[in-house]
Amino acid sequence: MHHDETFPVSRRGVIAGGVASATLAAAPVAQAQTQDQVQGTTQPAPPTMPVTLKVNGRTTKLNVDTRTTLLDALRENLKLTGTKKGCDHGQCGACTVIVEGRRINSCLTLAVMHEGEEITTIEGLGTPEKLHAMQAAFVKHDGYQCGYCTPGQICSAVATLGEIKAGIPSHVTGDIAAQPSVTTDELRERMSGNICRCGAYSNIIDAIHDVAGTERTA
Ligand code: FES
Ligand code: FES
């Protein structure tokens, strides 16, 4: 039996067909854009949704585009610009905030997913007059240079100590059934999602050890 008789499709035919269907798929979009331009019509408004956020002890009701990230809601809607946008896709940790006691990357989550939840940003940890112990330790140990990653580092560091205290193991915890301790390896691993392009890592670890009352182990 000849293959060509049962399935008579040549390579050239497949490529030509692919080009044709890609052209067909693109056609309605191009046509719609042309009609919009000609008729001067506007796109329908994006869907919005009400959401109540409890940020740093203050309850605020917002009406946001459902695609708004928590990071953008904090920075653009609530003007809490302490939380930084580094990469906007979960790679740098600059946007770390504490939600219901857990640290999260606020660029990777939608504001409408946090209805009624307690959110703490760097502005809620301390004030310039009364710094949080972790903020004071970062100052004392020079845990920053440009400071762009610092709000995320500090929120992450506070939550890290909370996670260790709560007995949550990390990838470097030897015995996951035992209470993890505040070792330098544990801190490095747990803080590894927070990137600092100034390279203040060593001083950041010193600051966290200081707050935990522990000594460097590496
Ligand atoms: S801005 Fe969210 S992880 Fe970089
Ligand atoms: S202090 Fe500059 S990026 Fe960390």
Side-chain angles (χ1 to χ4, degrees):
M1 185 188 297
H2 290 292
H3 183 74
D4 281 349
E5 287 165 9
T6 52
F7 192 59
V9 177
S10 67
R11 184 169 175 272
R12 178 186 290 190
V14 169
I15 293 170
V19 171
S21 54
T23 311
L24 278 176
V29 176
Q31 199 179 0
Q33 282 169 351
T34 311
Q35 277 172 1
D36 270 2
Q37 285 158 4
V38 170
Q39 296 169 5
T41 54
T42 51
Q43 295 291 326
T48 61
M49 219 175 124
V51 61
T52 304
L53 299 178
K54 293 184 189 167
V55 185
N56 302 330
R58 270 187 67 184
T59 301
T60 318
K61 287 183 197 299
L62 296 174
N63 205 37
V64 291
D65 181 330
T66 49
R67 300 164 296 180
T68 307
T69 61
L70 178 59
L71 174 60
D72 283 343
L74 292 171
R75 289 182 55 86
E76 308 298 331
N77 296 70
L78 299 178
K79 309 297 179 204
L80 291 171
T81 53
T83 305
K84 300 294 184 242
K85 182 182 283 189
C87 64
D88 209 19
H89 56 258
Q91 292 191 339
C92 73
C95 64
T96 306
V97 297
I98 303 169
V99 178
E100 296 285 309
R102 296 184 60 194
R103 56 190 167 142
I104 62 169
N105 288 337
S106 61
C107 70
L108 287 187
T109 188
L110 299 175
V112 292
M113 293 164 66
H114 299 285
E115 173 67 32
E117 293 183 353
E118 298 276 356
I119 299 162
T120 305
T121 69
I122 191 71
E123 292 94 340
L125 281 179
T127 63
E129 297 73 38
K130 194 171 186 301
L131 295 179
H132 183 282
M134 193 64 77
Q135 292 170 317
F138 267 63
V139 174
K140 177 178 162 193
H141 291 276
D142 242 351
Y144 50 83
Q145 286 182 42
C146 76
Y148 198 81
C149 72
T150 312
Q153 299 277 5
I154 291 178
C155 285
S156 215
V158 168
T160 281
L161 292 184
E163 284 160 20
I164 293 176
K165 203 171 165 193
I168 299 170
S170 79
H171 287 301
V172 297
T173 307
D175 178 0
I176 60 167
Q179 172 66 32
S181 32
V182 187
T183 63
T184 302
D185 279 351
E186 282 282 358
L187 295 182
R188 282 186 185 142
E189 165 61 23
R190 290 172 192 264
M191 294 295 294
S192 61
N194 289 82
I195 307 300
C196 173
R197 72 182 287 184
C198 298
Y201 298 113
S202 182
N203 295 358
I204 291 170
I205 295 295
D206 285 342
I208 306 174
H209 270 305
D210 194 343
V211 174
T214 50
E215 296 290 329
R216 264 184 175 274
T217 53

